[in-house]
Amino acid sequence: MKSVVIVAGGSSSRFGANKLKQSVFGKSVLEQSVDAFRNIADEIIVVGDYSIEGVKSVKGGATRFLSVKNGLDAVSDKCDFVAVHDGARPFVSPKLVNVLFAQAIKYGSAVPRLPVTDTVWRQDGKTVMQTDRDSLFTVQTPQIFDCAKLKRAFSLAEREYTDESSLYFDIYGDVNFVDGERSNIKITFREDLPEYRVGAGFDVHAFGSGNGVIIGGVTIPFDKKLLGHSDADVLAHAIADAVLSASGNKDIGCQFPDTDPEYKGANSLTLLSQCVDLALQSGFVVVNVSAVIICEEPKMAPYTDEMASKLAEVLKVDKDCVNLSASTTEKLGALGNGDGIAVEAQALIKRVNRL
Protein backbone atom coordinates (compact mmCIF):
# COMPACT_ATOMS: atom_id res chain seq x y z
CA MET A 1 0.00 0.00 0.00
CA LYS A 2 1.24 3.49 -0.91
CA SER A 3 0.48 6.44 1.34
CA VAL A 4 1.39 10.12 1.26
CA VAL A 5 1.64 12.61 4.10
CA ILE A 6 1.29 16.19 2.84
CA VAL A 7 2.58 18.75 5.32
CA ALA A 8 0.31 21.81 5.42
CA GLY A 9 0.57 23.19 8.93
CA GLY A 10 2.97 26.11 8.42
CA SER A 11 2.24 29.77 9.13
CA SER A 12 3.29 31.15 5.69
CA SER A 13 4.94 34.07 7.51
CA ARG A 14 7.39 34.85 4.68
CA PHE A 15 4.59 34.79 2.13
CA GLY A 16 2.43 37.19 4.13
CA ALA A 17 -0.80 35.20 3.76
CA ASN A 18 -1.85 31.56 3.70
CA LYS A 19 0.09 30.44 0.62
CA LEU A 20 -1.64 27.07 0.49
CA LYS A 21 -4.97 28.76 -0.21
CA GLN A 22 -3.59 30.86 -3.07
CA SER A 23 -5.03 30.06 -6.49
CA VAL A 24 -2.79 28.61 -9.18
CA PHE A 25 -4.20 27.32 -12.45
CA GLY A 26 -7.74 27.26 -11.10
CA LYS A 27 -7.11 25.42 -7.83
CA SER A 28 -5.44 26.20 -4.54
CA VAL A 29 -1.74 25.46 -4.05
CA LEU A 30 -2.62 22.66 -1.64
CA GLU A 31 -5.20 21.11 -3.96
CA GLN A 32 -2.62 21.03 -6.77
CA SER A 33 -0.16 19.31 -4.43
CA VAL A 34 -2.79 16.74 -3.48
CA ASP A 35 -3.80 16.11 -7.10
CA ALA A 36 -0.26 14.98 -8.00
CA PHE A 37 -0.83 11.88 -5.84
CA ARG A 38 -4.38 10.99 -6.86
CA ASN A 39 -4.56 7.69 -8.75
CA ILE A 40 -1.04 6.90 -7.48
CA ALA A 41 -1.22 6.80 -3.69
CA ASP A 42 -3.81 4.60 -2.01
CA GLU A 43 -4.08 6.98 0.93
CA ILE A 44 -3.60 10.75 1.15
CA ILE A 45 -3.21 12.46 4.51
CA VAL A 46 -3.00 16.24 4.87
CA VAL A 47 -1.46 17.54 8.07
CA GLY A 48 -3.27 20.81 8.72
CA ASP A 49 -6.71 22.29 9.14
CA TYR A 50 -8.03 21.70 5.61
CA SER A 51 -10.95 19.81 4.15
CA ILE A 52 -10.36 18.25 0.72
CA GLU A 53 -12.55 15.59 -0.85
CA GLY A 54 -11.13 12.09 -0.58
CA VAL A 55 -8.35 13.20 1.77
CA LYS A 56 -7.85 12.49 5.47
CA SER A 57 -6.94 15.52 7.57
CA VAL A 58 -5.01 15.44 10.87
CA LYS A 59 -3.85 18.16 13.23
CA GLY A 60 -0.51 19.84 12.59
CA GLY A 61 2.28 20.09 15.14
CA ALA A 62 4.22 23.07 16.48
CA THR A 63 7.06 22.31 14.02
CA ARG A 64 7.38 20.59 10.68
CA PHE A 65 9.04 17.60 12.35
CA LEU A 66 6.11 17.15 14.72
CA SER A 67 3.61 17.65 11.92
CA VAL A 68 5.20 14.86 9.90
CA LYS A 69 5.14 12.65 12.99
CA ASN A 70 1.41 13.32 13.41
CA GLY A 71 0.88 12.39 9.78
CA LEU A 72 2.85 9.17 10.09
CA ASP A 73 0.83 8.23 13.18
CA ALA A 74 -2.32 8.49 11.03
CA VAL A 75 -0.99 6.30 8.22
CA SER A 76 -2.72 2.97 7.71
CA ASP A 77 -1.15 -0.12 9.27
CA LYS A 78 -1.24 -1.63 5.80
CA CYS A 79 1.10 1.02 4.37
CA ASP A 80 4.29 -0.35 2.80
CA PHE A 81 5.79 2.87 1.44
CA VAL A 82 5.03 6.42 2.49
CA ALA A 83 5.77 9.70 0.75
CA VAL A 84 6.24 12.94 2.68
CA HIS A 85 5.53 16.02 0.60
CA ASP A 86 5.42 19.76 1.20
CA GLY A 87 1.96 21.16 0.58
CA ALA A 88 3.67 24.21 -0.88
CA ARG A 89 5.12 22.26 -3.82
CA PRO A 90 2.12 22.31 -6.20
CA PHE A 91 4.06 21.67 -9.41
CA VAL A 92 5.48 18.22 -8.73
CA SER A 93 4.61 15.96 -11.64
CA PRO A 94 2.86 12.59 -11.34
CA LYS A 95 5.74 11.26 -13.46
CA LEU A 96 8.26 12.11 -10.73
CA VAL A 97 5.95 10.69 -8.06
CA ASN A 98 5.77 7.38 -9.94
CA VAL A 99 9.54 7.27 -10.42
CA LEU A 100 10.14 7.93 -6.73
CA PHE A 101 7.73 5.23 -5.60
CA ALA A 102 9.36 2.73 -7.98
CA GLN A 103 12.82 3.65 -6.69
CA ALA A 104 11.72 3.45 -3.07
CA ILE A 105 10.21 0.02 -3.61
CA LYS A 106 13.51 -1.13 -5.14
CA TYR A 107 15.96 0.55 -2.76
CA GLY A 108 13.97 1.38 0.38
CA SER A 109 14.10 5.14 -0.11
CA ALA A 110 13.90 7.74 -2.88
CA VAL A 111 14.69 11.43 -2.45
CA PRO A 112 14.71 13.93 -5.36
CA ARG A 113 17.76 16.17 -5.59
CA LEU A 114 19.09 18.98 -7.77
CA PRO A 115 22.67 20.18 -8.27
CA VAL A 116 23.64 23.60 -6.97
CA THR A 117 24.07 25.92 -9.96
CA ASP A 118 24.49 29.29 -8.24
CA THR A 119 27.61 30.66 -6.61
CA VAL A 120 27.45 29.96 -2.89
CA TRP A 121 28.78 32.40 -0.28
CA ARG A 122 29.52 31.69 3.35
CA GLN A 123 28.85 34.13 6.16
CA ASP A 124 32.60 34.60 6.62
CA GLY A 125 32.77 36.29 3.22
CA LYS A 126 34.27 33.39 1.30
CA THR A 127 32.70 31.57 -1.62
CA VAL A 128 32.44 27.82 -2.07
CA MET A 129 34.97 26.75 -4.68
CA GLN A 130 33.69 25.23 -7.92
CA THR A 131 35.16 21.84 -7.02
CA ASP A 132 33.37 21.91 -3.68
CA ARG A 133 30.14 23.23 -5.20
CA ASP A 134 30.04 20.29 -7.60
CA SER A 135 29.64 18.02 -4.60
CA LEU A 136 26.69 19.99 -3.23
CA PHE A 137 23.03 19.48 -4.02
CA THR A 138 19.62 20.45 -2.68
CA VAL A 139 16.75 18.08 -1.96
CA GLN A 140 13.05 18.36 -2.71
CA THR A 141 9.90 16.50 -1.78
CA PRO A 142 8.19 14.12 -2.08
CA GLN A 143 10.64 11.94 -0.18
CA ILE A 144 9.52 8.31 -0.13
CA PHE A 145 10.58 5.61 2.31
CA ASP A 146 9.81 2.17 3.60
CA CYS A 147 7.04 3.12 6.00
CA ALA A 148 8.12 0.92 8.93
CA LYS A 149 11.72 2.13 8.70
CA LEU A 150 10.71 5.80 8.57
CA LYS A 151 8.40 5.42 11.57
CA ARG A 152 11.23 3.71 13.48
CA ALA A 153 13.60 6.55 12.54
CA PHE A 154 11.18 9.07 14.01
CA SER A 155 10.89 7.05 17.21
CA LEU A 156 14.68 7.01 17.55
CA ALA A 157 15.27 10.68 16.73
CA GLU A 158 17.07 12.59 19.47
CA ARG A 159 16.50 15.97 17.84
CA GLU A 160 14.28 17.54 15.22
CA TYR A 161 15.23 17.44 11.53
CA THR A 162 14.34 19.83 8.72
CA ASP A 163 13.53 16.97 6.36
CA GLU A 164 13.13 13.21 6.40
CA SER A 165 16.20 12.35 4.30
CA SER A 166 18.62 13.75 6.89
CA LEU A 167 16.88 11.81 9.67
CA TYR A 168 16.80 8.63 7.61
CA PHE A 169 20.51 8.97 6.80
CA ASP A 170 21.46 9.53 10.44
CA ILE A 171 19.62 6.39 11.50
CA TYR A 172 20.41 4.07 8.58
CA GLY A 173 23.50 5.60 6.99
CA ASP A 174 22.19 5.61 3.44
CA VAL A 175 19.68 7.42 1.22
CA ASN A 176 18.82 6.69 -2.42
CA PHE A 177 18.81 9.93 -4.42
CA VAL A 178 16.91 10.48 -7.69
CA ASP A 179 17.07 13.38 -10.16
CA GLY A 180 14.48 15.98 -9.18
CA GLU A 181 12.59 18.51 -11.29
CA ARG A 182 13.48 22.20 -11.66
CA SER A 183 9.78 22.97 -11.94
CA ASN A 184 9.10 21.36 -8.55
CA ILE A 185 9.64 24.60 -6.67
CA LYS A 186 8.50 25.30 -3.13
CA ILE A 187 6.28 28.34 -2.75
CA THR A 188 7.90 30.47 -0.04
CA PHE A 189 7.58 34.09 -1.17
CA ARG A 190 4.89 35.75 -3.27
CA GLU A 191 7.32 35.95 -6.18
CA ASP A 192 7.46 32.15 -6.26
CA LEU A 193 3.81 31.91 -7.24
CA PRO A 194 3.44 32.30 -11.00
CA GLU A 195 0.59 34.38 -12.33
CA TYR A 196 -0.67 33.76 -15.84
CA ARG A 197 -3.50 35.48 -17.66
CA VAL A 198 -5.24 34.80 -20.97
CA GLY A 199 -6.70 37.42 -23.26
CA ALA A 200 -8.82 37.15 -26.41
CA GLY A 201 -8.88 39.46 -29.37
CA PHE A 202 -11.01 39.66 -32.49
CA ASP A 203 -10.85 41.97 -35.47
CA VAL A 204 -12.37 42.15 -38.95
CA HIS A 205 -11.69 44.43 -41.91
CA ALA A 206 -13.59 44.72 -45.16
CA PHE A 207 -11.98 44.71 -48.58
CA GLY A 208 -11.84 47.80 -50.77
CA SER A 209 -10.20 48.81 -53.99
CA GLY A 210 -6.45 48.46 -53.91
CA ASN A 211 -3.49 46.21 -54.51
CA GLY A 212 -2.32 43.87 -51.74
CA VAL A 213 -3.08 43.27 -48.07
CA ILE A 214 -0.82 43.52 -45.03
CA ILE A 215 -1.25 40.63 -42.60
CA GLY A 216 1.11 40.11 -39.68
CA GLY A 217 3.44 42.69 -41.15
CA VAL A 218 3.71 40.76 -44.42
CA THR A 219 2.50 42.27 -47.70
CA ILE A 220 0.51 39.69 -49.65
CA PRO A 221 -0.21 40.32 -53.37
CA PHE A 222 -3.95 40.60 -54.03
CA ASP A 223 -6.32 42.56 -56.24
CA LYS A 224 -7.87 44.29 -53.21
CA LYS A 225 -6.76 45.88 -49.95
CA LEU A 226 -8.19 45.96 -46.46
CA LEU A 227 -9.89 49.17 -45.38
CA GLY A 228 -8.88 50.81 -42.14
CA HIS A 229 -7.53 53.95 -40.49
CA SER A 230 -4.08 52.38 -40.06
CA ASP A 231 -2.59 49.84 -42.47
CA ALA A 232 -5.55 47.56 -41.56
CA ASP A 233 -3.35 44.67 -40.43
CA VAL A 234 -6.20 42.62 -39.01
CA LEU A 235 -3.90 39.97 -37.51
CA ALA A 236 -1.74 42.48 -35.62
CA HIS A 237 -4.88 44.21 -34.37
CA ALA A 238 -6.46 41.02 -33.01
CA ILE A 239 -3.25 40.02 -31.25
CA ALA A 240 -2.88 43.53 -29.84
CA ASP A 241 -6.37 43.33 -28.35
CA ALA A 242 -5.59 39.91 -26.87
CA VAL A 243 -2.45 41.27 -25.17
CA LEU A 244 -4.26 44.37 -23.94
CA SER A 245 -7.18 42.32 -22.62
CA ALA A 246 -4.95 39.88 -20.74
CA SER A 247 -2.93 42.67 -19.11
CA GLY A 248 -6.01 44.62 -18.02
CA ASN A 249 -5.63 47.50 -20.46
CA LYS A 250 -8.29 49.09 -22.65
CA ASP A 251 -8.69 47.83 -26.20
CA ILE A 252 -6.85 48.97 -29.29
CA GLY A 253 -9.66 51.31 -30.31
CA CYS A 254 -9.17 53.24 -27.08
CA GLN A 255 -5.40 53.21 -27.33
CA PHE A 256 -5.25 54.30 -30.99
CA PRO A 257 -8.62 55.86 -31.95
CA ASP A 258 -9.45 56.08 -35.65
CA THR A 259 -10.36 59.72 -35.10
CA ASP A 260 -6.73 60.58 -34.37
CA PRO A 261 -4.80 61.62 -37.50
CA GLU A 262 -1.57 60.47 -35.83
CA TYR A 263 -2.51 56.89 -36.58
CA LYS A 264 -3.59 57.43 -40.18
CA GLY A 265 -1.82 54.70 -42.20
CA ALA A 266 0.16 53.62 -39.12
CA ASN A 267 2.26 50.47 -39.19
CA SER A 268 0.26 48.04 -37.05
CA LEU A 269 3.38 46.22 -35.88
CA THR A 270 4.47 49.49 -34.32
CA LEU A 271 1.09 49.74 -32.60
CA LEU A 272 1.40 46.14 -31.43
CA SER A 273 4.84 46.93 -30.01
CA GLN A 274 3.30 49.76 -27.98
CA CYS A 275 0.66 47.33 -26.67
CA VAL A 276 3.42 44.94 -25.57
CA ASP A 277 5.05 47.88 -23.76
CA LEU A 278 1.73 48.70 -22.06
CA ALA A 279 1.48 45.11 -20.87
CA LEU A 280 5.00 45.35 -19.47
CA GLN A 281 4.11 48.55 -17.64
CA SER A 282 1.27 46.56 -16.08
CA GLY A 283 3.80 43.92 -15.00
CA PHE A 284 3.32 41.29 -17.71
CA VAL A 285 5.24 39.79 -20.62
CA VAL A 286 3.88 37.68 -23.46
CA VAL A 287 4.39 33.92 -23.22
CA ASN A 288 2.74 32.78 -26.43
CA VAL A 289 0.11 33.75 -28.97
CA SER A 290 -2.28 31.69 -31.07
CA ALA A 291 -4.40 33.10 -33.88
CA VAL A 292 -6.60 31.89 -36.71
CA ILE A 293 -7.00 33.97 -39.88
CA ILE A 294 -10.43 33.55 -41.48
CA CYS A 295 -10.94 34.35 -45.17
CA GLU A 296 -11.57 32.80 -48.57
CA GLU A 297 -8.81 34.69 -50.35
CA PRO A 298 -5.93 35.35 -50.51
CA LYS A 299 -4.35 32.11 -49.35
CA MET A 300 -2.50 32.64 -46.09
CA ALA A 301 -0.58 29.37 -45.65
CA PRO A 302 2.42 30.40 -47.80
CA TYR A 303 2.98 33.46 -45.61
CA THR A 304 2.29 32.32 -42.04
CA ASP A 305 5.91 31.39 -41.35
CA GLU A 306 7.11 34.88 -42.24
CA MET A 307 4.25 36.41 -40.26
CA ALA A 308 5.23 34.41 -37.19
CA SER A 309 8.83 35.64 -37.45
CA LYS A 310 7.81 39.28 -37.65
CA LEU A 311 5.26 38.99 -34.86
CA ALA A 312 7.65 37.09 -32.59
CA GLU A 313 10.17 39.91 -32.82
CA VAL A 314 7.57 42.47 -31.80
CA LEU A 315 6.09 40.27 -29.06
CA LYS A 316 9.60 39.51 -27.73
CA VAL A 317 9.09 35.75 -27.78
CA ASP A 318 10.58 32.86 -29.70
CA LYS A 319 9.10 32.19 -33.10
CA ASP A 320 7.68 28.86 -31.99
CA CYS A 321 5.60 30.76 -29.42
CA VAL A 322 3.55 32.32 -32.23
CA ASN A 323 1.16 29.78 -33.71
CA LEU A 324 -0.83 30.87 -36.73
CA SER A 325 -3.41 28.98 -38.74
CA ALA A 326 -5.81 29.85 -41.58
CA SER A 327 -9.38 28.78 -42.18
CA THR A 328 -12.47 29.63 -44.21
CA THR A 329 -16.18 29.80 -43.45
CA GLU A 330 -16.98 27.32 -46.22
CA LYS A 331 -18.51 30.09 -48.35
CA LEU A 332 -20.93 31.07 -45.59
CA GLY A 333 -21.65 34.67 -44.64
CA ALA A 334 -19.82 37.86 -45.51
CA LEU A 335 -16.39 36.29 -45.05
CA GLY A 336 -17.46 33.37 -47.21
CA ASN A 337 -18.55 35.83 -49.88
CA GLY A 338 -15.05 37.29 -49.87
CA ASP A 339 -16.03 40.62 -48.32
CA GLY A 340 -13.09 40.78 -45.93
CA ILE A 341 -10.77 39.06 -43.43
CA ALA A 342 -11.30 38.29 -39.73
CA VAL A 343 -8.88 37.09 -37.09
CA GLU A 344 -9.46 35.52 -33.71
CA ALA A 345 -6.47 35.56 -31.35
CA GLN A 346 -5.52 34.46 -27.86
CA ALA A 347 -2.52 35.58 -25.83
CA LEU A 348 -1.00 34.00 -22.74
CA ILE A 349 0.96 36.40 -20.56
CA LYS A 350 2.75 36.03 -17.22
CA ARG A 351 3.53 38.47 -14.45
CA VAL A 352 7.16 39.47 -14.13
CA ASN A 353 6.82 41.83 -11.19
CA ARG A 354 4.17 42.96 -8.76
CA LEU A 355 3.70 46.70 -9.03
Side-chain angles (χ1 to χ4, degrees):
M1 179 178 177
K2 301 173 183 175
S3 302
V4 57
V5 172
I6 298 180
V7 189
S11 63
S12 302
S13 58
R14 288 174 290 184
F15 191 90
N18 189 334
K19 60 188 177 184
L20 299 184
K21 291 185 177 181
Q22 302 300 306
S23 178
V24 55
F25 304 134
K27 293 185 177 182
S28 72
V29 168
L30 181 57
E31 287 172 325
Q32 294 286 11
S33 298
V34 167
D35 283 352
F37 294 88
R38 294 191 188 274
N39 302 318
I40 298 177
D42 303 296
E43 175 184 46
I44 301 175
I45 298 170
V46 168
V47 185
D49 187 18
Y50 298 92
S51 178
I52 300 177
E53 185 178 356
V55 174
K56 182 178 181 179
S57 177
V58 298
K59 186 177 180 180
T63 63
R64 183 188 188 281
F65 182 84
L66 294 176
S67 287
V68 175
K69 190 173 185 304
N70 287 353
L72 290 174
D73 289 342
V75 167
S76 169
D77 292 338
K78 297 180 181 180
C79 175
D80 300 302
F81 291 89
V82 60
V84 180
H85 186 57
D86 297 321
R89 290 186 187 269
F91 306 122
V92 62
S93 72
K95 177 182 178 181
L96 179 60
V97 173
N98 277 316
V99 168
L100 291 169
F101 266 117
Q103 286 281 302
I105 291 170
K106 187 174 182 179
Y107 298 106
S109 63
V111 175
R113 69 176 179 181
L114 291 175
V116 174
T117 57
D118 295 322
T119 296
V120 179
W121 281 78
R122 293 194 293 255
Q123 289 291 344
D124 60 8
K126 296 180 180 180
T127 61
V128 176
M129 298 297 292
Q130 177 69 49
T131 52
D132 295 327
R133 193 180 77 185
D134 289 344
S135 66
L136 299 175
F137 56 86
T138 60
V139 296
Q140 304 174 311
T141 68
Q143 299 181 5
I144 304 180
F145 305 90
D146 177 293
C147 186
K149 293 183 70 174
L150 184 61
K151 285 186 174 183
R152 177 175 179 270
F154 267 83
S155 70
L156 296 175
E158 297 180 352
R159 63 179 178 87
E160 294 199 1
Y161 291 78
T162 58
D163 82 326
E164 291 63 58
S165 66
S166 51
L167 165 62
Y168 193 89
F169 183 84
D170 275 1
I171 300 299
Y172 300 109
D174 183 51
V175 174
N176 173 46
F177 292 104
V178 177
D179 289 340
E181 296 174 330
R182 288 285 174 193
S183 57
N184 182 22
I185 65 170
K186 183 179 180 182
I187 306 299
T188 303
F189 303 98
R190 286 190 177 274
E191 292 78 9
D192 297 330
L193 194 62
E195 181 180 344
Y196 291 87
R197 294 185 183 181
V198 175
F202 178 82
D203 195 32
V204 59
H205 282 272
F207 284 127
S209 299
N211 184 21
V213 296
I214 299 174
I215 307 292
V218 177
T219 300
I220 301 174
F222 195 51
D223 60 0
K224 300 175 184 177
K225 73 173 184 178
L226 290 173
L227 302 177
H229 186 64
S230 63
D231 61 8
D233 188 334
V234 63
L235 175 57
H237 293 175
I239 293 175
D241 264 342
V243 171
L244 291 169
S245 172
S247 58
N249 288 287
K250 292 184 177 181
D251 63 53
I252 192 172
C254 294
Q255 305 293 341
F256 316 108
D258 59 12
T259 55
D260 191 335
E262 179 183 352
Y263 305 115
K264 180 68 175 177
N267 184 322
S268 292
L269 291 188
T270 300
L271 304 183
L272 176 58
S273 178
Q274 293 179 40
C275 294
V276 172
D277 289 341
L278 282 172
L280 184 59
Q281 291 171 27
S282 299
F284 294 91
V285 295
V286 176
V287 176
N288 74 280
V289 165
S290 178
V292 55
I293 308 165
I294 308 167
C295 66
E296 294 295 330
E297 290 185 302
K299 297 301 181 184
M300 295 291 157
Y303 305 97
T304 53
D305 191 65
E306 185 180 356
M307 293 176 193
S309 295
K310 288 180 176 290
L311 290 166
E313 184 176 356
V314 174
L315 294 166
K316 300 176 184 178
V317 298
D318 292 336
K319 181 183 174 182
D320 61 3
C321 293
V322 180
N323 191 292
L324 305 176
S325 60
S327 184
T328 70
T329 60
E330 300 294 335
K331 304 292 185 180
L332 296 176
L335 295 175
N337 290 331
D339 293 341
I341 300 177
V343 172
E344 182 177 347
Q346 289 79 36
L348 176 67
I349 64 175
K350 68 177 179 180
R351 186 179 288 281
V352 290
N353 54 47
R354 296 178 184 274
L355 303 178

